[in-house]
Amino acid sequence: MEESKREKVRRRLLEAMPKKARAAEIGVWEGHFSERILEICDPVELHLIDPWLYQPEFANTGFGRKKNETLMDVKYQDVCAKFAQDPRVKVHRALSEVALAGFEDASLDWVYIDGNHNEPFVGRDIALCLQKVKHDGILAGDDFNWMSDAQGAPVKRAVESMVSALGDQAELTLLANQWIVKLNRPAP
């Protein structure tokens, strides 16, 4: 089956990521992109973080749509089964701020953020991930131009705010709707 345009762009993003790294994916859903991470990046450790929680207050997302209300446990169980035989994969069924609290600061090489795109959640994920990735790590994510009726483009604002705050310690690259921020912060 031929790759869609989106899949091609996401593959290009993954090809730019460090190999044999300690990585995390926030917002796993059914684990399809997780499979691509494993295939292309061959991480030594991949943390899959998702609450698999129905949240109807976010009807503008997959996890807030009524049709998915009863599917969250099934999606979680399917992801666990899909990666059960891969010792590199650690599944965390928790909100990102809860899961990330269990990681040591500067312990990850990179994180892919595709969780709740609404504010303040996307900004919080970025701030937490900045603590958890190494000084020269990478934050990347999906849906840079995602539009919320009430909030405009919260992912774009959060990423641009981070890059602005970090100045020359962060380099933003856009690949269509995917974003990559390479960090160049002083070593601790």
Side-chain angles (χ1 to χ4, degrees), residues 25 28-36 48 79 82-83:
E25 177 187 12
V28 176
W29 195 240
E30 295 172 336
H32 299 302
F33 191 61
S34 312
E35 290 176 308
R36 297 299 308 259
L48 304 180
V79 166
K82 183 181 291 193
F83 300 109

Side-chain angles (χ1 to χ4, degrees), residues 112-125:
Y112 184 83
I113 302 171
D114 192 14
N116 190 335
H117 297 344
N118 294 287
E119 280 296 351
F121 307 98
V122 63
R124 187 180 309 144
D125 281 348

Side-chain angles (χ1 to χ4, degrees), residues 30-45:
E30 295 172 336
H32 299 302
F33 191 61
S34 312
E35 290 176 308
R36 297 299 308 259
I37 292 170
L38 290 165
E39 170 192 330
I40 296 170
C41 298
D42 191 24
V44 294
E45 196 170 274

Side-chain angles (χ1 to χ4, degrees), residues 149-167:
D149 292 340
Q151 300 176 339
V155 175
K156 180 179 182 178
R157 275 197 315 277
V159 171
E160 288 178 342
S161 175
M162 167 188 53
V163 170
S164 175
L166 290 170

Side-chain angles (χ1 to χ4, degrees), residues 38 42 54 58 69 86 105 108 127 141 144 148 163 171:
L38 290 165
D42 191 24
Y54 174 62
F58 300 112
E69 180 177 10
D86 193 328
D105 287 354
L108 297 169
F144 185 78
S148 164
V163 170
E171 178 187 336

Side-chain angles (χ1 to χ4, degrees), residues 4-21:
S4 68
K5 181 179 178 184
R6 180 171 191 261
E7 290 168 334
K8 287 178 184 177
V9 171
R10 291 177 103 188
R11 179 177 36 81
R12 285 182 38 222
L13 176 139
L14 290 177
E15 287 169 348
M17 302 305 265
K19 309 308 179 252
K20 300 289 185 186

Side-chain angles (χ1 to χ4, degrees), residues 16-181:
M17 302 305 265
K19 309 308 179 252
K20 300 289 185 186
R22 286 191 79 224
E25 177 187 12
I26 297 173
V28 176
W29 195 240
E30 295 172 336
H32 299 302
F33 191 61
S34 312
E35 290 176 308
R36 297 299 308 259
I37 292 170
L38 290 165
E39 170 192 330
I40 296 170
C41 298
D42 191 24
V44 294
E45 196 170 274
L46 177 61
H47 295 272
L48 304 180
I49 301 168
D50 196 305
W52 288 282
L53 175 68
Y54 174 62
Q55 296 175 290
E57 65 271 29
F58 300 112
N60 61 349
T61 68
F63 55 84
R65 290 192 187 105
K66 182 73 173 156
K67 70 178 185 176
N68 292 319
E69 180 177 10
T70 60
L71 298 178
M72 295 303 176
D73 286 337
V74 171
K75 289 185 183 302
Y76 166 68
Q77 291 163 2
D78 287 351
V79 166
C80 287
K82 183 181 291 193
F83 300 109
Q85 300 305 311
D86 193 328
R88 301 172 297 170
V89 177
K90 315 291 184 233
V91 179
H92 305 265
R93 188 177 190 178
L95 294 171
S96 53
E97 64 262 21
V98 173
L100 289 169
F103 289 82
E104 290 184 32
D105 287 354
S107 62
L108 297 169
D109 295 297
W110 60 270
V111 178
Y112 184 83
I113 302 171
D114 192 14
N116 190 335
H117 297 344
N118 294 287
E119 280 296 351
F121 307 98
V122 63
R124 187 180 309 144
D125 281 348
I126 288 171
L128 288 168
C129 290
L130 278 172
Q131 295 173 10
K132 302 307 174 182
V133 297
K134 295 176 180 173
H135 71 281
D136 59 350
I138 297 174
L139 269 58
D142 194 13
D143 297 322
F144 185 78
N145 294 303
W146 180 81
M147 295 295 285
S148 164
D149 292 340
Q151 300 176 339
V155 175
K156 180 179 182 178
R157 275 197 315 277
V159 171
E160 288 178 342
S161 175
M162 167 188 53
V163 170
S164 175
L166 290 170
D168 63 0
Q169 296 178 19
E171 178 187 336
L172 172 63
T173 301
L174 296 176
L175 300 171
N177 221 14
Q178 304 294 302
W179 55 273
I180 303 170
V181 174

